Amino acid sequence: MDKAPPETTNTDSRRASHGSVTLADVAALARVAPITVSRALNNPDSVSETLRSRIRTAVDQLGYVPNRMAGALASAKTKVIPVIVPSLSNVVFIEVIEGVQETLTAHGYQLLLGTTDYNLEREAELVSALLGWAPPGVMIAGLRHLPRTNTILKNAGLPVVEMMEYGARCIDMNVGLSHFRAGMEMAEHLLARGYRKIGFVGTRLRDDYRARQRYDGMHRRLLESKNACDMLFDYPGGGSQQLGWNALGDILKTNPELDALFFANDEMAVGAILRAQRDGIAIPGRIAIAGFNGLPVSSLVTPALTTIISPRKLMGHTAAEMLLARISGGSPAARRVNVGLELAAREST
Amino acid sequence: MDKAPPETTNTDSRRASHGSVTLADVAALARVAPITVSRALNNPDSVSETLRSRIRTAVDQLGYVPNRMAGALASAKTKVIPVIVPSLSNVVFIEVIEGVQETLTAHGYQLLLGTTDYNLEREAELVSALLGWAPPGVMIAGLRHLPRTNTILKNAGLPVVEMMEYGARCIDMNVGLSHFRAGMEMAEHLLARGYRKIGFVGTRLRDDYRARQRYDGMHRRLLESKNACDMLFDYPGGGSQQLGWNALGDILKTNPELDALFFANDEMAVGAILRAQRDGIAIPGRIAIAGFNGLPVSSLVTPALTTIISPRKLMGHTAAEMLLARISGGSPAARRVNVGLELAAREST
DNA sequence: AAGAAAAATGGTAGCGCTATCAAAAATCAT
DNA sequence: ATGATTTTTGATAGCGCTACCATTTTTCTT
């Protein structure tokens, strides 16, 4: 005989508890202690076959779904990992998230998504709010945050991976590539092909400082070369194909002396190429065009776009793996990973 | 003098509790009862200005971050909403998610992301797992699920919005458009422009049944017209530009009699157009091309792509608003919303 | 076969927060 | 002023689960 505690479980009408089946109900039906059900679910090997199957039956029969909140509260462990990115409009973040998601899912983790819209204040709030879920780790885009954000994350004492860019100083772990270097390499390439007056076209460069770093890299390299110069174009709004399309027209009109344009991303660069096609502007004859990211479309346009290929999905996978390694107590192969980049020299330059 | 309960809070070393500051700590510092801190945080108006500011000071001083899990468990309320989509590789889902995210964030909700990879089994598991977070509602792509999934969701007694497609039977609420109708309209358009032998090009059509519905719609319309016929091409893999690029070449070779191709999405259609451009295939002279979705790029390629514009972000916004309306106890303006579609007849047909 | 070691099960006590009701303080009416 | 009403604050008791330790049962030694 099991002495059912009188006023327990759902008998109490004070709280709605959305009428759900609890672990105690399963336990009662299977005639075992609640803790045994808990074990059967979380650590099946520690329960005898007999009880395990009796419990499984009860679970199925009642349609029991464990309350993660209660479990997490009691064990101080969650399997939900916040992933914070600036925006979803940029394919690049999507692909990184995809990589992260694939790896996390494979290990039974869930992804809690936050977007900052490139706003560091909002980022800080988001980090703080998401820490309220007592996650086992945090994944966040970028190395630049408010001091407050850094403090919060450091104090939380959690594994943290900063993604997208590779740099010397990180909160905990870092996976990315050097955008400065990407800019230098592109400059190198353009110089080698004989271009001397190069425009860099970006959007919201104050917020999108990684694009700005690419410009800085290009600028630095061009400085080393005599008779080369650059020009910076910073448009408002998102870096869309439409924007590249418009920018090409404007820039050719206002700055006809330029012989090459390095766009902050492939979307814009492709937009420019499509515009050139439509208007019969010769590329690279009249002006050369280069992009960044290595989106699939870059090799399909005519002329094929010269770009820098970034291993975005790999970045997501690597970042997630590093985080999981740390969560499970081990230490990742490396605390900082430079995933590198590859310049694809094609027809547009 | 407040009588600090002897062995409470963090003094107990049995559990790690990741050394975090709790509400009780804040209460002690502010010399009020814990419940008052809770109120000051969740319902500031119900606490006097004096205590409120004293509590705020204590919160800041300690860097207190409320444990959402504990709060959710106690109140049986969360502000996290699962959003389940087939994949992140498809821009369409991204834009819907973006819309959802914007609306949810504005109302203080968080987005818990799940992807099914078009696998209904996985979808069922995901739904079940995510319900463990006791969410106030669920957002899910599509109207077709396993019976099991439907049962679980109905029994959960939560507001549920099914997105992407519009149809007669939904679990609870539905926002989308009629894909069958989209197919009919495109067929109508192609017939009007004189095309008679039309190929439909899709990928994984068994899984992507919405694309299949577009084909069905087209097929139905073509049946009504004598001397018109269609042909279905179903490729494996994702519906990328590369795939459209390849498909155009193959199909022109194997089925030279076709005079128009309706691609399952703009990505593929754009890929085909880019291929045609590269190879000097006349569009629509040799073959007409149409797409679906109305991605921005569709109007930038040459020739501009005829497509059907779907209001993706609007869908996300609407869906989220309907859900929130239901969560806050009200009822949405409508239980089912057809967001409609718009055929953009352009140069490629 | 008797005792020791290992495995399986259970009892108890929280995890950190909030719903409920009760008490205290402030405001109002007459 | 005095009682009635409203507002503010607090004590208590869980939400559903798991950590910890204790107990029982099984398996292993020699």
Side-chain angles (χ1 to χ4, degrees):
Chain A
M1 283 292 117
D2 36 316
K3 40 188 170 159
E7 295 291 272
T8 319
T9 328
N10 287 359
T11 329
D12 185 349
S13 67
R14 276 175 53 221
R15 311 250 179 130
S17 76
H18 67 88
S20 71
V21 181
T22 74
L23 183 138
D25 299 328
V26 176
L29 184 60
R31 282 163 298 131
V32 297
I35 184 67
T36 305
V37 177
S38 171
R39 273 193 282 253
L41 261 35
N42 299 319
N43 193 5
D45 292 339
S46 68
V47 173
S48 70
E49 175 52 34
T50 330
L51 291 194
R52 210 186 313 154
S53 76
R54 218 160 76 204
I55 289 170
R56 195 177 354 240
T57 310
V59 165
D60 291 344
Q61 190 174 327
L62 295 173
Y64 170 65
V65 175
N67 183 324
R68 300 287 159 198
M69 238 95 63
L73 183 60
S75 67
K77 274 181 214 150
T78 357
K79 290 205 145 195
V80 174
I81 295 185
V83 178
I84 299 168
V85 296
S87 125
L88 297 179
S89 329
N90 190 329
V91 215
V92 176
F93 297 118
I94 299 296
E95 294 186 47
V96 173
I97 291 175
E98 226 184 321
V100 168
Q101 161 100 335
E102 282 173 10
T103 303
L104 290 188
T105 302
H107 292 261
Y109 285 76
Q110 228 93 51
L111 190 158
L112 194 60
L113 186 63
T115 58
T116 67
D117 196 31
Y118 291 102
N119 180 336
L120 293 184
E121 271 299 334
R122 173 138 178 68
E123 183 185 72
E125 280 164 30
L126 207 50
V127 166
S128 182
L130 294 177
L131 282 181
W133 292 99
V138 175
M139 311 190 71
I140 187 167
L143 287 170
R144 294 196 194 167
H145 318 284
L146 293 184
R148 173 155 56 105
T149 311
N150 284 313
T151 311
I152 296 177
L153 283 174
K154 278 184 182 147
N155 287 348
L158 298 173
V160 175
V161 188
E162 289 167 282
M163 306 178 291
M164 308 307 296
E165 63 192 296
Y166 179 72
R169 287 214 311 236
C170 59
I171 298 174
D172 180 24
M173 291 179 285
N174 176 220
V175 182
L177 56 87
S178 164
H179 291 259
F180 187 87
R181 163 135 212 167
M184 296 228 312
E185 294 211 0
M186 186 53 85
E188 187 68 45
H189 166 79
L190 292 172
L191 287 172
R193 294 226 169 157
Y195 303 104
R196 288 297 176 271
K197 295 182 193 330
I198 305 174
F200 183 94
V201 189
T203 63
R204 290 175 70 183
L205 289 177
R206 207 190 352 190
D207 296 331
D208 187 0
Y209 65 87
R210 282 179 289 274
R212 172 75 199 212
Q213 287 173 341
R214 297 196 284 278
Y215 166 72
D216 291 341
M218 174 181 104
H219 184 72
R220 157 78 74 80
R221 180 63 192 80
L222 292 185
L223 278 185
E224 292 169 4
S225 165
K226 51 198 140 217
N227 64 40
C229 65
D230 70 64
M231 188 163 245
L232 181 59
F233 299 89
D234 187 359
Y235 290 90
S240 63
Q241 294 187 340
Q242 183 67 58
L243 201 144
W245 171 286
N246 298 340
L248 182 70
D250 296 349
I251 292 175
L252 283 181
K253 207 166 295 172
T254 58
N255 300 82
E257 76 282 10
L258 294 178
D259 54 17
L261 290 179
F262 180 19
F263 283 86
N265 66 45
D266 280 1
E267 295 278 354
M268 285 192 277
V270 164
I273 285 185
L274 294 177
R275 169 70 179 272
Q277 223 159 30
R278 169 69 54 137
D279 292 356
I281 298 164
I283 291 180
R286 169 66 186 85
I287 194 161
I289 291 195
F292 176 82
N293 270 332
L295 300 188
V297 66
S298 66
S299 60
L300 301 183
V301 287
T302 305
L305 176 68
T306 292
T307 186
I308 288 174
I309 301 176
S310 60
R312 301 174 292 282
K313 216 157 176 186
L314 173 66
M315 224 187 293
H317 283 143
T318 311
E321 273 156 19
M322 285 165 69
L323 194 79
L324 291 176
R326 278 285 298 282
I327 289 174
S328 55
S331 60
R335 227 167 53 84
R336 294 169 56 221
V337 175
N338 188 340
V339 290
L341 46 84
E342 183 195 341
L343 194 145
R346 299 202 274 235
E347 304 158 359
S348 71
T349 48
Chain B
M1 282 293 116
D2 38 315
K3 43 196 165 151
E7 294 292 274
T8 321
T9 328
N10 286 0
T11 329
D12 185 347
S13 66
R14 273 175 56 220
R15 311 251 177 128
S17 77
H18 65 87
S20 71
V21 180
T22 73
L23 184 138
D25 299 329
V26 176
L29 184 58
R31 281 162 300 133
V32 296
I35 184 67
T36 305
V37 177
S38 172
R39 273 193 282 253
L41 261 34
N42 299 318
N43 193 4
D45 291 339
S46 68
V47 173
S48 70
E49 176 53 35
T50 329
L51 291 193
R52 209 186 315 153
S53 76
R54 217 158 78 202
I55 290 170
R56 194 176 355 240
T57 309
V59 166
D60 291 344
Q61 190 174 330
L62 296 172
Y64 170 65
V65 175
N67 182 326
R68 300 286 160 203
M69 239 95 65
L73 183 59
S75 67
K77 274 180 216 150
T78 358
K79 291 207 143 193
V80 173
I81 297 187
V83 178
I84 300 168
V85 296
S87 127
L88 296 180
S89 330
N90 191 329
V91 215
V92 176
F93 296 118
I94 299 296
E95 294 187 45
V96 173
I97 291 176
E98 225 184 321
V100 167
Q101 161 100 335
E102 282 174 9
T103 303
L104 290 188
T105 302
H107 291 261
Y109 285 77
Q110 228 95 51
L111 191 157
L112 194 60
L113 187 63
T115 58
T116 67
D117 196 33
Y118 290 100
N119 179 336
L120 293 183
E121 272 298 336
R122 173 140 176 68
E123 183 185 73
E125 281 164 29
L126 208 51
V127 166
S128 186
L130 293 178
L131 282 180
W133 292 99
V138 174
M139 312 191 71
I140 187 166
L143 287 169
R144 294 193 194 169
H145 318 284
L146 293 184
R148 173 154 56 103
T149 310
N150 284 312
T151 311
I152 296 177
L153 283 175
K154 276 183 183 146
N155 287 348
L158 298 173
V160 175
V161 188
E162 289 167 282
M163 307 177 290
M164 308 309 295
E165 62 191 297
Y166 179 71
R169 286 212 314 235
C170 59
I171 298 174
D172 180 23
M173 292 178 285
N174 176 219
V175 181
L177 56 87
S178 164
H179 291 260
F180 188 86
R181 161 130 213 172
M184 296 228 310
E185 295 212 359
M186 186 55 85
E188 188 67 43
H189 165 80
L190 292 172
L191 287 171
R193 294 226 169 158
Y195 303 104
R196 287 297 176 268
K197 296 181 191 330
I198 305 174
F200 183 96
V201 189
T203 62
R204 292 176 68 183
L205 288 177
R206 200 178 13 179
D207 297 328
D208 187 1
Y209 65 88
R210 283 179 287 274
R212 172 75 200 211
Q213 288 173 340
R214 297 197 283 277
Y215 167 73
D216 291 342
M218 173 180 105
H219 184 73
R220 157 78 75 80
R221 180 61 192 82
L222 293 185
L223 279 184
E224 291 170 5
S225 165
K226 48 197 141 219
N227 64 42
C229 65
D230 69 63
M231 186 162 246
L232 181 60
F233 299 89
D234 187 359
Y235 290 89
S240 63
Q241 293 188 339
Q242 183 68 57
L243 200 143
W245 171 286
N246 297 341
L248 183 70
D250 296 348
I251 293 176
L252 283 180
K253 208 165 293 173
T254 59
N255 299 82
E257 77 282 9
L258 293 177
D259 55 16
L261 289 178
F262 179 19
F263 283 86
N265 66 46
D266 280 359
E267 295 278 354
M268 284 191 279
V270 163
I273 285 186
L274 294 176
R275 170 69 179 273
Q277 223 159 30
R278 169 68 54 136
D279 292 357
I281 299 163
I283 290 180
R286 169 65 189 84
I287 193 161
I289 291 196
F292 176 83
N293 270 332
L295 300 188
V297 67
S298 66
S299 60
L300 301 182
V301 288
T302 304
L305 177 68
T306 291
T307 186
I308 287 174
I309 301 175
S310 61
R312 301 175 292 283
K313 216 158 176 186
L314 173 67
M315 223 186 293
H317 284 144
T318 311
E321 272 156 21
M322 285 166 68
L323 194 79
L324 291 176
R326 278 286 299 282
I327 289 174
S328 55
S331 60
R335 227 168 53 85
R336 293 169 56 222
V337 174
N338 188 338
V339 290
L341 46 84
E342 183 195 341
L343 194 144
R346 300 201 274 234
E347 303 158 358
S348 70
T349 49

